[in-house]
Amino acid sequence: MIEVRRARAGDVRAIRALVEPLTATRVLVAKDAVAYYESLQQFRVVEDDGRVVGCGALHVMWEDLAEVRTLAVHPSASGQGVGSQLLEALLDDARDLGIKRVFCLTFEVDFFSRHGFEPIDGRAVEPEVYAELLRSYDEGVAEFLDLERVKPNTLGNTRMLRTL
Ligand SMILES: CC(=O)SCCNC(=O)CCNC(=O)[C@H](O)C(C)(C)COP(=O)(O)OP(=O)(O)OC[C@H]1O[C@@H](n2cnc3c(N)ncnc32)[C@H](O)[C@@H]1OP(=O)(O)O
């Protein structure tokens, strides 16, 4: 039976195993193990008969803004609605947190479009918020801000936004 649930500390190994092949092709950014434990509360996983087959995270960036991150489904489980269930659960988390806009940076434009995301150009935040976000040490925030130093990581990705 398929179940979407909050991640537990014991899931981190399975999450890393899902993500690792995707970092080799730069679909997802490689992170150290400690980063997954530190951001564990952001994660949801999909379990199928006791096996973690998908993961995804929601990272809050500002008062009205969060980012979907690290969405990955094992190839053996793709095309069965697992990614859609995960994404919708993360959007529900965003609603629960009072978030109004959800950002993502992805090659999977059709998939995210089917879930109400639209490509955006330029900055998605006011200059004052941009200046505050510059103070973050988070690499994903740097990618959101489209800073020069992280551009090699985001080459070919599309910036997308969903309004809730
Ligand atoms: C912000 C970020 O994290 S960006 C990174 C996004 N992740 C990646 O690029 C990693 C590599 N890709 C993946 O892990 C997966 O392909 C994902 C996450 C993009 C999609 O996960 P999936 O579980 O395959 O998605 P899901 O099954 O919900 O939808 C995919 C397709 O299956 C179809 N589908 C959905 N439900 C079902 C179902 N019950 N039965 C059969 N097909 C279905 C959908 O119509 C959809 O069609 P499409 O390919 O034309 O869009």
Side-chain angles (χ1 to χ4, degrees):
M1 198 190 77
I2 282 189
E3 181 201 9
V4 184
R5 61 165 173 80
R6 294 206 169 278
R8 299 192 276 263
D11 296 322
V12 168
R13 282 173 198 278
I15 292 171
R16 293 185 70 210
L18 282 173
V19 170
E20 198 187 69
L22 297 163
T23 63
T25 48
R26 308 190 80 139
V27 169
L28 294 175
V29 175
K31 287 182 191 159
D32 293 319
V34 65
Y36 290 96
Y37 291 107
E38 285 176 344
S39 60
L40 188 71
Q41 290 101 324
Q42 300 177 9
F43 272 87
R44 285 191 172 266
V45 295
V46 171
E47 195 175 304
D48 182 9
D49 283 335
R51 177 172 160 251
V52 171
V53 294
C55 66
L58 184 84
H59 180 91
V60 177
M61 287 199 280
W62 202 251
E63 191 176 23
D64 62 341
L65 182 69
E67 179 181 9
V68 171
R69 291 182 171 180
T70 326
L71 188 69
V73 172
H74 192 273
S76 67
S78 74
Q80 298 164 37
V82 171
S84 296
Q85 282 189 58
L86 264 169
L87 182 55
E88 290 303 326
L90 295 172
L91 294 176
D92 282 344
D93 289 344
R95 290 184 188 94
D96 288 348
L97 289 161
I99 297 294
K100 298 281 184 283
R101 300 183 307 155
V102 179
F103 173 79
C104 76
L105 194 57
T106 187
F107 291 110
E108 296 286 347
V109 176
D110 291 347
F111 173 79
F112 280 93
S113 295
R114 269 185 274 280
H115 290 274
F117 285 74
E118 288 175 2
I120 53 163
D121 270 334
R123 292 183 181 178
V125 290
E126 301 301 309
E128 308 82 65
V129 177
Y130 186 95
E132 292 281 351
L133 290 176
L134 277 175
R135 304 168 76 92
S136 172
Y137 290 103
D138 186 282
E139 284 295 286
V141 172
E143 291 175 7
F144 169 73
L145 297 174
D146 210 15
L147 302 185
E148 280 305 324
R149 70 176 168 81
V150 290
K151 280 196 176 173
N153 297 344
T154 61
L155 216 61
N157 278 268
T158 298
R159 301 162 64 77
M160 301 185 82
L161 198 64
R162 157 89 200 249
T163 305
L164 296 175

